[in-house]
Amino acid sequence: MKFSDLKLGAKLGAAFSAVVILTAGVGTISVLQLARLHAQTDEVTDNWLAGVTQSSDIRGAVNASRRAQVDLVLAISPQQTEIAKKSFEAAAERLAKLMTEYEAGLDNASDEEKEIFADMKNLHVSFSASHTKLSELAAGGEALFPVARAWLQGEAANDFGRLIMASTKLTELNNAGATDAGGRSDATFASARFWVVTFVAAAIAMAIAMALWITRLITRPVARAVQAAERIAAGDLTVDLHTTGKDE
């Protein structure tokens, strides 16, 4: 059966159904693209930015430990020594906690990130051992002050520097990951905008085309009937009402 043979209600129903299908297609494309964008946004906020924050906090705890080491060697009274010891203990406890939290989030990390963190754990052990030696030297008072200062500026400084470099590498890696994920989010947004605009434009164009087509299917026979009626009213009974469809 030709479309032109359908009843008027069926034609309008078909046109409305087509518009609904097109609208549903636009909605589906939009939801899928938004889901991709949401996933990439979560990657930035939950993974990379969290890594940047955690690695920066680790670096801060390492710096606090180093300051406590300097204070310990330069302490000139038992009170200052006690304060320096407590400061280092607090920084060390915070550092251990931060590293444990960071390690817990490495399940889906890259091999490079796991390798950097493993190296940082080993350096942390060396740093702690170096501090133990420094504490023993600092406890020797003025007699061992030159040796303690030399250790502070030598072995302890080297261990501190290597640990800081490892934490900095983690921060840089997470920054790079966040930048990359942000770029992919921008690309996804641009793609989503393109496809949504394209489908909306296509839906509008098809809706207009169908509206014009159905309008012509309805108005052309009506116009011919009006012309025939006018001719009949004018006395022309030879008018032939030729029909091409089977609708109203």
Side-chain angles (χ1 to χ4, degrees):
M1 178 183 291
K2 295 181 180 179
F3 186 79
S4 59
D5 293 338
L6 295 176
K7 298 298 183 181
L8 181 58
K11 291 176 182 177
L12 294 176
F16 178 76
S17 298
V19 172
V20 171
I21 292 172
L22 289 171
T23 303
V26 172
T28 300
I29 292 296
S30 301
V31 170
L32 291 176
Q33 295 293 341
L34 287 174
R36 288 180 57 199
L37 187 61
H38 177 70
Q40 290 172 349
T41 301
D42 281 347
E43 181 185 0
V44 173
T45 55
D46 296 341
N47 183 15
W48 297 115
L49 291 184
V52 170
T53 300
Q54 288 178 319
S55 58
S56 297
D57 289 343
I58 289 174
R59 190 168 64 251
V62 174
N63 281 318
S65 299
R66 179 59 178 175
R67 288 194 298 269
Q69 285 184 335
V70 174
D71 290 342
L72 181 63
V73 173
L74 297 180
I76 58 175
S77 68
Q79 291 80 6
Q80 291 180 351
T81 299
E82 188 63 25
I83 291 174
K85 286 182 178 180
K86 289 183 178 180
S87 296
F88 184 87
E89 289 172 0
E93 182 179 351
R94 175 168 169 74
L95 177 57
K97 179 182 178 182
L98 289 169
M99 291 184 67
T100 299
E101 292 175 352
Y102 194 99
E103 187 174 21
L106 288 177
D107 291 340
N108 298 320
S110 65
D111 291 339
E112 181 184 6
E113 186 174 8
K114 291 178 180 178
E115 183 179 347
I116 293 174
F117 185 80
D119 184 47
M120 188 171 70
K121 284 185 68 176
N122 293 330
L123 292 172
H124 179 229
V125 173
S126 298
F127 179 74
S128 299
S130 176
H131 178 75
T132 300
K133 177 66 174 180
L134 182 66
S135 298
E136 294 173 356
L137 294 173
E142 293 185 8
L144 293 180
F145 175 74
V147 182
R149 183 176 61 184
W151 187 269
L152 175 70
Q153 296 174 343
E155 190 67 22
N158 292 335
D159 288 336
F160 163 74
R162 287 190 288 265
L163 189 55
I164 280 291
M165 286 182 61
S167 63
T168 300
K169 285 182 181 179
L170 277 182
T171 302
E172 291 174 348
L173 185 143
N174 282 282
N175 270 323
T179 300
D180 179 67
R184 285 187 280 112
S185 294
D186 290 340
T188 298
F189 171 74
S191 174
R193 180 174 57 188
F194 170 79
W195 286 111
V196 169
V197 170
T198 298
F199 270 81
V200 168
I204 292 174
M206 292 185 67
I208 292 174
M210 292 188 67
L212 293 175
W213 183 38
I214 292 176
T215 299
R216 291 181 66 182
L217 288 176
I218 295 174
T219 58
R220 277 187 175 183
V222 172
R224 287 197 297 267
V226 170
Q227 290 177 356
E230 290 175 348
R231 290 174 62 184
I232 292 173
D236 184 1
L237 301 180
T238 63
V239 176
D240 181 18
L241 290 175
H242 177 68
T243 59
T244 59
K246 298 180 181 180
D247 60 358
E248 289 88 339

